[in-house]
Amino acid sequence: MWLIHRETDGKSRDRIPLPAPLHEALVRWYVGEGSFHDEQAGVTLVQNARIGHRWIACGCLGPDKAPPILTPAYLSEAETYYLRRLTSTKRPEHRPDCPFFRDQATNRITEVRSHNTPTDPPSGFFEVLRPAPEKLAQRPEDDSLDDRTRNASTPRLARLLWRLLDSAGCNTVAPLGMAYEWSIREEFAALGRAAGKIEIAPGVELARAFWTHARPLETNTVYGTLRALATNWPKTHAPQGFLALYAKSIKGNEIHVPDGDPVAIATRVQSPSIRGNHITGPYIVLIVAGEYPEARGYAPLRA
């Protein structure tokens, strides 16, 4: 297999051959039989191919013939990269015994929650997004921040919200007999104080990129803050900020706040409220804002 320039037939001399270990990992990931690290290598390759405006040529027909083409694609709804076969009457087909003869398997190899999964709030840095890989097929880190899991696993963003509430003490309620005057303003203030004790990245306190109102999104304050912080952000971590919002309702990718326009997220809001388990609001929603894929600037990416 080779990396080739986009909109070409894949026969030019400057095509870049893929190393055998990467080729093998890519095949295992494509057919749905790979390990977690195979998936990481495959996603990294596809991501870099998109950034570098490259296609991937398959060598199943031999080195001297025009190769079948695979194009790197990004599925925004699922926040994942995948390979798409380029088919047309003018394009060569893969051999029937080639693993790329059929469309990519949909099952993804990710962490699945089990009874043995720890139930403590997540430790480490308060982050969800990862920096775009700079090298082709770089070795994936052991501790992945990928929260796109299957089989009802709890997304990392939800677990980070749990951690923040736990650190702020917002998950404890005074006995009714104490006649405690509960204030949502004070609860959000407690979240802000807790954010000062947590780091997003080395040397970067969560409080520096944390908001509890939608107004900073409307005025682009969130994006301006992230751009200013990004110049000194640790290179091994992705610049990102968080908003904890009080929401009356959630519809698809929109969060409806009580005193402003709906907040639109790049992907569908993840919620435990599903068919057969409907949970009515109001809600506390945690949003992560960061760089949109393919350098489209900053935006609210997940919630």
Side-chain angles (χ1 to χ4, degrees):
M1 301 188 77
W2 305 272
L3 276 177
I4 63 172
H5 289 289
R6 198 160 58 181
E7 306 296 345
T8 64
D9 62 4
K11 296 178 65 177
S12 61
R13 294 183 178 181
D14 61 350
R15 62 187 184 182
I16 304 173
L18 298 185
L22 176 57
H23 180 194
E24 295 167 1
L26 188 66
V27 169
R28 291 191 296 267
W29 170 61
Y30 188 88
V31 300
E33 298 177 355
S35 66
F36 174 78
H37 290 296
D38 291 335
E39 179 187 0
Q40 290 287 83
V43 169
T44 299
L45 172 63
V46 174
Q47 189 176 33
N48 276 278
R50 281 182 67 84
I51 294 173
H53 303 287
R54 300 273 183 160
W55 284 347
I56 299 173
C58 179
C60 65
L61 300 181
D64 300 324
K65 294 184 178 181
I69 304 296
L70 297 158
T71 63
Y74 178 75
L75 184 62
S76 59
E77 182 67 21
E79 293 185 79
T80 189
Y81 293 88
Y82 67 102
L83 284 174
R84 180 170 53 203
R85 296 182 308 127
L86 190 61
T87 57
S88 71
T89 55
K90 298 180 180 180
R91 294 284 182 181
E93 287 281 353
H94 296 269
R95 285 174 42 177
D97 60 345
C98 175
F100 301 101
F101 180 74
R102 301 184 183 278
D103 290 332
Q104 184 168 4
T106 56
N107 289 337
R108 304 176 62 255
I109 308 300
T110 47
E111 178 187 0
V112 177
R113 184 173 179 81
S114 68
H115 293 295
N116 296 323
T117 304
T119 56
D120 296 326
S123 58
F125 294 111
F126 199 97
E127 60 181 346
V128 174
L129 309 178
R130 302 181 64 178
E134 296 179 354
K135 296 181 180 179
L136 184 64
Q138 66 182 22
R139 182 178 180 180
E141 299 176 9
D142 292 333
D143 183 18
S144 173
L145 300 182
D146 186 357
D147 65 358
R148 301 160 296 169
T149 54
R150 297 181 287 123
N151 291 7
S153 177
T154 304
R156 179 176 175 83
L157 195 57
R159 291 185 286 122
L160 289 178
L161 176 57
W162 175 20
R163 174 184 175 183
L164 184 61
L165 293 171
D166 183 65
S167 299
C170 295
N171 57 348
T172 59
V173 179
L176 296 178
M178 294 182 62
Y180 177 77
E181 294 186 7
W182 185 84
S183 166
I184 191 170
R185 177 176 296 181
E186 174 54 33
E187 296 300 309
F188 274 102
L191 293 181
R193 291 192 294 271
K197 304 175 183 179
I198 301 173
E199 286 187 323
I200 305 178
V204 183
E205 293 180 355
L206 173 60
R208 299 175 65 185
F210 179 74
W211 298 267
T212 57
H213 196 278
R215 183 64 178 167
L217 275 178
E218 299 172 1
T219 60
N220 294 328
T221 301
V222 172
Y223 313 133
T225 299
L226 288 177
R227 289 190 183 95
L229 292 174
T231 57
N232 295 316
W233 205 280
K235 299 300 182 183
T236 55
H237 298 261
Q240 55 199 284
F242 294 85
L243 297 95
L245 303 183
Y246 175 84
K248 297 187 298 181
S249 62
I250 298 170
K251 295 181 180 179
N253 69 325
E254 289 188 344
I255 299 169
H256 293 257
V257 294
D259 52 355
D261 295 331
V263 177
I265 309 299
T267 56
R268 188 178 184 86
V269 177
Q270 295 176 301
S271 169
S273 181
I274 57 176
R275 183 180 301 176
N277 184 38
H278 182 63
I279 301 174
T280 59
Y283 311 94
I284 298 296
V285 182
L286 185 64
I287 302 172
V288 59
E291 285 189 277
Y292 204 84
E294 301 172 40
R296 296 181 185 175
Y298 289 93
L301 299 180
R302 306 184 198 175

